[in-house]
Amino acid sequence: VGKFKNKDKNGKEFWESDIIGELVKIDGNEVMSAIPVCWWNDEAAFAVDLSFIKDGSFLELLSQNYEGMEIVGNIHSNPELLK
């Protein structure tokens, strides 16, 4: 069972293992970003797993800079979003 606290821009509650995203422009094309949500025990809060941009584990609190994002799937049903 996942834990929840915040809501995305559509009012849907975040759960551990969700994937959040937003449309971003890359080389003039709109692309949906995809960032996995996890539970950070040390902070007792939801975080985003940004390890794909650094070596090793790198977490950032979900409450920081992610209010405009929406849930686009989850790691179990939509693993292709993270490729």
Side-chain angles (χ1 to χ4, degrees):
V1 175
K3 301 172 182 136
F4 71 92
K5 183 177 180 184
N6 281 329
K7 296 181 180 181
D8 73 358
K9 71 177 192 175
N10 300 316
K12 188 174 178 186
E13 295 171 334
F14 289 113
W15 289 86
E16 187 174 16
S17 302
D18 278 341
I19 298 172
I20 59 172
E22 66 181 343
L23 285 176
V24 294
K25 282 200 176 193
I26 298 176
D27 296 329
N29 299 312
E30 283 195 340
V31 177
M32 180 62 74
S33 64
I35 304 170
V37 175
C38 61
W39 183 254
W40 191 355
N41 283 329
D42 292 348
E43 297 291 330
F46 281 109
V48 290
D49 182 353
L50 300 174
S51 22
F52 64 91
I53 59 173
K54 292 191 177 257
D55 292 334
S57 181
F58 182 71
L59 301 176
E60 183 171 274
L61 292 174
L62 183 61
S63 60
Q64 298 173 345
N65 306 316
Y66 297 94
E67 288 104 14
M69 293 199 166
E70 65 182 308
I71 297 168
V72 295
N74 68 64
I75 63 171
H76 306 292
S77 300
N78 312 99
E80 72 279 0
L81 294 175
L82 299 176
K83 293 182 181 182

